[in-house]
Amino acid sequence: MMNNRVIWRLPHPAAMFFLLTLVVIILSWIFDIYGLNVHQPQTGEEIRVQSLLSPEGIRWLLRHVVTNFTGFAPLGLVIVAMFGIGVAQHSGFIDACIRIGAKRRHNSRSMVILVISLGLLSNIVGDAGYIILLPIAATLFHSVGLHPVAGIITAYVSVSCGYSANVLLSTLDPILATGTQEAADMANVSLGNTGPLCNYYFLFVSTFLLAFIIYQITRRNLLPALGEYAGNIRFIGYKQLSHKERRAMISAISIGVIYATVIFLATFSSWGILRSVNGGLIHSPFIEGILFILSLGIGLMGMVYGFASGRYRTDGDVIEGLTYPMKLLGVYFVIAFFAAQMFACFEYSHLDKCIAIMGANMLSSIRLGSLWILILFILFTAIVNLIMVSATAKWAFMSFIFVPVFANMGISPDMIQCAYRIGDSATNAIAPFMFYMPLILTYMQQYDKRATYGSLLKYTWRYSLYILLAWTFLFVLWYVSGLPLGL
């Protein structure tokens, strides 16, 4: 259990999001009085702050309280993912995997490295890492005698701060590259490369830098600060798999391999029904349905293991596995309800866009050397990311402001995009407006009921700061040396 002296005492996460909603409502009223407005750089359309205390704002809020919640983007994703994880946990499949993979407590160092690696690689499948990896990371850490909350935080930082870094092409690369190309075409900018792999070399090297930083902070700061876990959730310890359990594991893995093969063929073969209509992966059924695909695969392996091991005998046992995570999700639903209202109010008020565009216009008016202006751009993006966390939403307007302005300074679009990705990722772990923040806090509260955003921030700020500084330093070295950023 976390020490009382190291917790920043803030309200319960649900109460925190309720208070943030009130703050957004009051700020929208104040800025509406003063007529705060900006112009969308892509279309020239005026964007004005809308008051949530105006008659129209009050009517909007009352009409959309329910749909704000049901339309909350992570809600359906979390429920679908939890179905598969629930069956895998309830059937004993995940426990059996841990008993095979780590048989002794002194494997803790390898376990930390494994969780960090999986977190950094998870952006290949979009946001799935936030939902699937974190609860598994808690169990993995717990299994080798480490604090399970440390597993959640380590996985969260690896997924969030490493969202742009990867050794492979991620789902974000082609989306951002498309936005960069559109901004360059509109401004008639021809210099530089704007393809999906235009930052690949730099981000490949960045992956190892981030892994090193996260590992060092986890071992030297996070684990000593959290200490031994003394909560109510116990890990049953390692026990040799019985002959029946080994056969069940072989059956489950065989089903998993067959399932993965079918998905691979349906995506990359000439059959290719999971690709988009133009043959690509952007906006394809594979990418947009990846969370369901993963959940179904995990659930199938869990179900097969349950029947083969004797844990499951009827379909009712499977249904019990599907409902296994519902107790945890009950807390999540409460937090997510208030978070959904806050996010919806923030979007309706246009506060995020107005503040971000005003700041972008101010930064673009500064005249400094190319390297210094890029460093300021990284810091500006890192700050804006605290209130507007969607990478694609920010780049949708920032690219049309900064690509033309910086191109006039001789800075290529791929360099601008690379600087953006550093700032956009580094502060994800401390952003209170992160869409998955309610889920992170729910996972933490499973092991410590007193966990709040303050306790999360206390352990994650160091990661964000060190990653931002080190990543920016690597960018400066890359810029000075003149190395190519990508293909």
Side-chain angles (χ1 to χ4, degrees), residues 183-201:
D185 290 343
M186 180 169 287
N188 198 25
V189 175
S190 58
L191 68 158
N193 174 28
T194 55
L197 294 173
C198 64
N199 298 146
Y200 177 72
Y201 295 152

Side-chain angles (χ1 to χ4, degrees), residues 96-172:
C97 290
I98 293 174
R99 286 158 60 191
I100 289 177
K103 298 180 180 180
R104 294 176 296 275
R105 289 173 65 93
H106 66 253
N107 283 330
S108 60
R109 180 173 298 180
S110 300
M111 196 62 75
V112 173
I113 295 174
L114 173 64
V115 168
I116 293 171
S117 301
L118 291 175
L120 291 171
L121 292 172
S122 68
N123 62 52
I124 296 173
V125 290
D127 293 344
Y130 288 111
I131 304 171
I132 295 178
L133 179 60
L134 269 63
I136 295 176
T139 304
L140 291 174
F141 269 49
H142 198 188
S143 70
V144 293
L146 301 177
H147 203 298
V149 172
I152 294 171
I153 293 174
T154 302
Y156 172 54
V157 170
S158 302
V159 174
S160 59
C161 292
Y163 199 70
S164 282
N166 210 317
V167 297
L168 300 171
L169 187 71
S170 73
T171 56
L172 190 63

Side-chain angles (χ1 to χ4, degrees), residues 104-335:
R104 294 176 296 275
R105 289 173 65 93
H106 66 253
N107 283 330
S108 60
R109 180 173 298 180
S110 300
M111 196 62 75
V112 173
I113 295 174
L114 173 64
V115 168
I116 293 171
S117 301
L118 291 175
L120 291 171
L121 292 172
S122 68
N123 62 52
I124 296 173
V125 290
D127 293 344
Y130 288 111
I131 304 171
I132 295 178
L133 179 60
L134 269 63
I136 295 176
T139 304
L140 291 174
F141 269 49
H142 198 188
S143 70
V144 293
L146 301 177
H147 203 298
V149 172
I152 294 171
I153 293 174
T154 302
Y156 172 54
V157 170
S158 302
V159 174
S160 59
C161 292
Y163 199 70
S164 282
N166 210 317
V167 297
L168 300 171
L169 187 71
S170 73
T171 56
L172 190 63
D173 293 313
I175 296 175
L176 292 183
T178 300
T180 305
Q181 184 64 57
E182 290 176 356
D185 290 343
M186 180 169 287
N188 198 25
V189 175
S190 58
L191 68 158
N193 174 28
T194 55
L197 294 173
C198 64
N199 298 146
Y200 177 72
Y201 295 152
F202 179 80
L203 297 178
F204 180 91
V205 174
S206 299
T207 305
F208 298 95
L209 172 66
L210 267 60
F212 175 77
I213 294 172
I214 295 171
Y215 176 80
Q216 292 298 324
I217 296 176
T218 299
R219 297 292 302 184
R220 297 185 180 186
N221 299 102
L222 180 64
L223 293 176
L226 287 170
E228 291 285 334
Y229 176 66
N232 297 325
I233 300 178
R234 299 294 179 186
F235 182 72
I236 60 174
Y238 294 106
K239 184 176 64 174
Q240 283 281 73
L241 292 180
S242 66
H243 180 66
K244 191 173 186 179
E245 287 175 326
R246 285 196 296 270
R247 284 191 306 172
M249 178 62 70
I250 292 173
S251 300
I253 292 176
S254 299
I255 290 296
V257 171
I258 294 172
Y259 177 79
T261 302
V262 171
I263 295 298
F264 181 84
L265 292 175
T267 304
F268 299 103
S269 70
S270 56
W271 179 35
I273 63 170
L274 295 185
R275 292 201 301 268
S276 61
V277 291
N278 62 4
L281 288 179
I282 301 178
H283 303 304
S284 66
F286 174 76
I287 293 298
E288 295 184 350
I290 188 64
L291 197 65
F292 172 73
I293 292 171
L294 290 173
S295 179
L296 179 59
I298 294 172
L300 281 175
M301 289 190 289
M303 184 176 65
V304 170
Y305 178 86
F307 281 112
S309 65
R311 176 71 182 268
Y312 287 172
R313 297 186 181 278
T314 66
D315 58 338
D317 296 324
V318 179
I319 300 302
E320 186 178 345
L322 291 171
T323 60
Y324 183 71
M326 289 304 115
K327 182 178 179 181
L328 173 65
L329 287 182
V331 178
Y332 171 70
F333 289 151
V334 174
I335 299 174

Side-chain angles (χ1 to χ4, degrees), residues 40-42 164 172-184 193-195 198-199 353 356-357 360 363 374 377-378 380-381 384-385 388-407 411-424:
Q40 168 64 255
Q42 182 177 2
S164 282
L172 190 63
D173 293 313
I175 296 175
L176 292 183
T178 300
T180 305
Q181 184 64 57
E182 290 176 356
N193 174 28
T194 55
C198 64
N199 298 146
K353 294 183 180 67
I357 292 176
L363 178 61
L374 284 170
F377 178 56
I378 292 173
F380 170 75
T381 304
V384 171
N385 192 53
M388 193 175 186
V389 294
S390 172
T392 54
K394 287 196 301 292
W395 193 234
F397 70 85
M398 289 177 66
S399 59
F400 288 91
I401 296 176
F402 290 108
V403 169
V405 172
F406 288 178
I411 304 174
S412 61
D414 59 329
M415 187 70 69
I416 303 167
Q417 178 183 292
C418 187
Y420 168 79
R421 299 190 71 170
I422 295 173
D424 173 66

